[in-house]
Amino acid sequence: MGYDPENPMADRITDIGPPHFEQMFPPVVKNNYGKWLYHEILEPGVLMHKSETGDECYTVRVGAARLISVEHIRELCDVADAHCDGHLRWTTRNNVEFMVDAKAKVQPLMDDLKSRGNKFPIGGTGAGVTNIVHTQGWMHCHTPATDASGVVKAVMDELFDYFTSMTLPAQVRIALACCLNMCGAVHASDIAILGVHRKPPMIDYDQISAVCEIPLAVSACPLGAIRPAKGTNSAGEEVKAVAVKNERCMFCGNCYTMCPAMPLADPDGDGIAILVGGKVSNSKSMPKFSKLVIPFLPNTPPRWPETVSAIKNILEVYAKNARKYERVGEWAERIGWEKFFEITGIPFTIKSIDDYRLAYDTWRTTTQFKFTSHIK
Amino acid sequence: MPKHDTPMIDELESGPWPSFVTDLKRQAEKSPQCWDILGKMELSFRDRITHWKHGGIVGVFGYGGGIVGRYSDVPEQYPGVAHFHTVRLNQPSSKFYTTEKLRQVCDLWEKRGSGMTNMHGSTGDLVLLGTTTDQLEPLFYDLTHDLNWDLGGSGSNLRTPSCCLGKARCEYSCIDTQALCHHLTMHYQDEIHRPAFPYKFKFKFSGCPNDCVAAIARSDFAVIGTWRDDIRIDQSQVKGYLNGDYAPNAGAHSGRDWGKFDIEKEVLDLCPTGCMRMNGEELQIDNSNCTRCMHCINVMPRALRPGLEQGATICVGAKAPILDGAQFATMTIPFLKVDPDNEFEEVVEVIEKIWDWWMEVGKNRERVGETIMRIGLPTFLKVMEVDVLPQHIKEPRSNPYVFWGEDEVEGGWDRSVVEFRKRHAQ
């Protein structure tokens, strides 16, 4: 049996949804569902959860690339078969967790993981840098302004010691989105790596009539910079097209999303912006957006040294100066953003002053500020 | 398929973090199209630009979502990835797996695609990365028949719902996130698979205000567990922390010497409402002033637990910046029952109220948060038929431009300017 192309609707099964989560639980999780009392991080990457039944669940967390092969998954399964009765899980940040029901089973599991080269780094817990959530980049996306997997690998290589330790003032969440669509939703991360374009779209007059609905392209622009206009294709014929008021473009790329005849990616125009100080958790302070502190760094594959060193600098200045429990954004707000720029040595530029919608909310409307070195 | 020279990406094989390049080469021994993935990736590294074309609509019969079409703009150079469509598998709630099931997915994907995956996509799906159009129907057949597994969402539909690990392995969870996530996923299969909305719509379920799935930042409909009675205190365990028997914050800070645990500095002073105090060795909480931020519970999990009257806060309308700027979800319903025994009917009712309104007034490609921004929170609250509360705002408006209704004003709006002029000369 199997799919019959002559009869595609035969025996069709639809709308069955995912497998039920309970089939996937290890016994210690199933038996203690909703009965957990407290947890403790025994060492970086190792958690113990205590149940009111007296049971304990030990978890070993390892980092992984988000882009992984089925061969790699099979090796993860080998480990889970050998130590965890065939169960494992992924976290929301692309880490993999192995769970066992007794302390004595932890060390053999860790020894096994460590014996497999650098494939399964143990860590990603507590006051450290955990895995970077990210998007597709050049691996699979049609709108990126930078790569994803490559940048993440370069950054995590450099920050590796923070993944395997818990020495920071609080957890630091790093995220990467390869364009302003932000499939990676980096708008609420301690440190956000964001692909940005800097050249307005080109107009492909040979394609535009065939692939675009002109009104949709026009309405796609949040700033009204696109209007219907005639153009000339390479055969010299007049075609219905659009014109772009370049000085009004904020390089969001929404026009290209709606109209494939308006590409804007460019090797020199594209690069990375760094935003900091966002958080999702409601703990202590309210959720915060990430703020743009470095407007542009070039795309320099394979290892993006400018981006890597900018992130490391922010992280280390934060590590040195923030108080215990203080997230990056809480620290920056306490000391003031002028101090943040001063002590990180990041040049403050006009690009960090908002001139988009609701911009006024971010302007300072008080006489309270600090006399940092910016004021001459 | 031949190997390509890949000197640039080969540099990503060194370093302590796991290398996706090494992994791709390993898979290429079994799935030769991976050599073309590597070659094409090298080309992008050299050219500093993507080599994927815009769009491409592919799918399986009867579904409008779940598969994302992708074509190469250099198909002759790298024929193995000329077509490279993505298949989104709806992940089991909170991403627990048995190796048996995962190995079935691996075998299926090695047979039907590139062997490369994303574990997981940003929304939560198990993403199978890269196959050709002719493989889609056979893959879907095998997936549904042999694996008893279905696709997730893409396009203007309900995207694959996701949740934190909740009661499965967390002591903080105030709601059964997995049960809720799975139930609504099954309840709304049609909405996931057949796009009928103005734009994408995301559900995310977090068990507590720590919000480990970023519901408040990333979902149109965020259900976040909370409680409305008193934080449970075990005073003997508070003493344990004071005595240094237990590491604060569950040991999350143990890599640095931060000195002896100081409950004043580390808990009381960091409480956003200042509602805690020590009376000798007894910790006292003025629960009526607590905003349930979780900090004290995070720092002393053995001593403090969420209250027992548990439910969820519903926040609506989060999104990333495109187009009008990023939005967090707006607190809409302070406390809602989340009850598996009645099939979560309270939650379903709220969802459908939002959808009925948004499907009527939402513009093409407008997220519900943008619709609320455009039309106004007051209107949205009326649509939701919720009591208007000071909890809906951070502060009252500072402009006086109130949209009074005619029926709210004595005598209505009909007046005679002639009568007016009799008393008021121009």
Side-chain angles (χ1 to χ4, degrees), chain A residues 135-201:
Chain A
T135 54
Q136 300 287 12
W138 295 334
M139 180 65 205
H140 196 257
C141 183
H142 63 298
T143 68
T146 188
D147 186 37
S149 300
V151 184
V152 166
K153 162 72 174 152
V155 172
M156 285 309 289
D157 275 342
E158 189 66 27
L159 303 185
F160 187 74
D161 290 346
Y162 293 101
F163 181 84
T164 56
S165 65
M166 302 189 292
T167 58
L168 295 174
Q171 68 269 39
V172 173
R173 302 283 186 246
I174 306 179
L176 178 147
C178 53
C179 83
L180 278 69
N181 280 323
M182 284 201 202
C183 300
V186 303
H187 58 292
S189 304
D190 292 283
I191 301 176
I193 307 164
L194 177 64
V196 292
H197 303 289
R198 294 185 304 164
K199 294 191 184 187

Side-chain angles (χ1 to χ4, degrees), chain A residues 235-248:
Chain A
E237 300 153 347
E238 191 182 82
V239 292
K240 283 185 183 167
V242 295
V244 178
K245 198 167 259 192
N246 284 342
E247 66 276 17
R248 216 183 262 183

Side-chain angles (χ1 to χ4, degrees), chain B residues 42 67 80-81 107 116 155 160 166 178 190 201 211 218 225 275 282 284 299 308 312 320 322 338 352 360 362 377:
Chain B
E42 177 75 12
I67 294 171
V81 293
D107 294 346
M116 294 307 297
T160 308
Q178 277 110 339
D190 190 32
F201 196 96
D211 196 2
R218 304 189 57 167
C275 71
E282 191 193 347
Q284 295 178 335
V299 176
L308 285 167
I322 292 277
V338 178
E352 297 191 354
E360 190 187 323
L377 183 60

Side-chain angles (χ1 to χ4, degrees), chain B residues 390-411:
Chain B
Q391 282 83 352
H392 284 127
I393 54 169
K394 286 182 196 154
E395 59 186 32
R397 70 194 303 157
S398 48
N399 66 65
Y401 305 129
V402 175
F403 291 102
W404 291 102
E406 185 172 7
D407 56 351
E408 292 178 294
V409 186
E410 296 76 5

Side-chain angles (χ1 to χ4, degrees), chain A residues 18 28 55 70 87 92 101 123 147 191 212-213 222 273-274 300-301 305 310 314 317 326 339 341 358 371:
Chain A
V28 67
D55 286 356
V70 298
H87 298 273
T92 55
D101 57 12
D147 186 37
I191 301 176
C212 298
E213 289 190 47
I274 304 291
T300 45
I314 292 166
V317 175
E326 216 166 37
K339 269 281 181 213
F341 282 99
L358 309 174
F371 281 103

